[in-house]
Amino acid sequence: MPPKEDRQFPAALAAALAVRLDRIGEDDVDFEPFPAFLSAEETADWFQAWTGNSEMKGDGFRVFGQDGTGGYAAFWLVRPDRALRAPNATWGAGVASR
């Protein structure tokens, strides 16, 4: 499992989400960023409810916001042994990938 400090946003994501926080209510974008990634326990609760599998932990995901329906926006960590960082990230459909 990635280190505990992995629950803090990388600087580039924090900066992008800070811009979003300044615009809430001024546009038609339905997205609310969280101040940090959900905790491991909150992520596990969500992932188990979403998949219906109580054995799944969801530790490969980092949830960073939600829309007005309660749907989450999350990163899927495809390299769990490496820290989440911004370089070489591309954005599309509201999700960053590497």
Side-chain angles (χ1 to χ4, degrees):
M1 175 180 242
K4 186 174 185 173
E5 64 270 7
D6 192 51
R7 295 291 167 175
Q8 294 302 311
F9 291 151
L13 178 60
L17 295 180
V19 171
R20 175 72 203 125
L21 282 171
D22 289 343
R23 298 288 314 249
I24 288 180
E26 296 180 13
D27 55 24
D28 293 328
V29 176
D30 185 14
F31 176 71
E32 176 187 347
F34 296 147
F37 291 119
L38 290 184
S39 70
E41 182 178 328
E42 291 170 314
T43 301
D45 288 346
W46 158 71
F47 198 70
Q48 290 168 0
W50 185 47
T51 63
N53 185 340
S54 62
E55 294 180 24
M56 299 293 290
K57 294 185 176 153
D59 53 352
F61 292 90
R62 295 295 177 269
V63 180
F64 61 91
Q66 68 182 13
D67 66 15
T69 68
Y72 282 156
F75 289 110
W76 176 26
L77 303 177
V78 296
R79 297 181 183 111
D81 56 329
R82 294 173 62 183
L84 183 61
R85 56 189 180 96
N88 302 318
T90 58
W91 292 86
V95 178
S97 62
R98 208 172 123 109

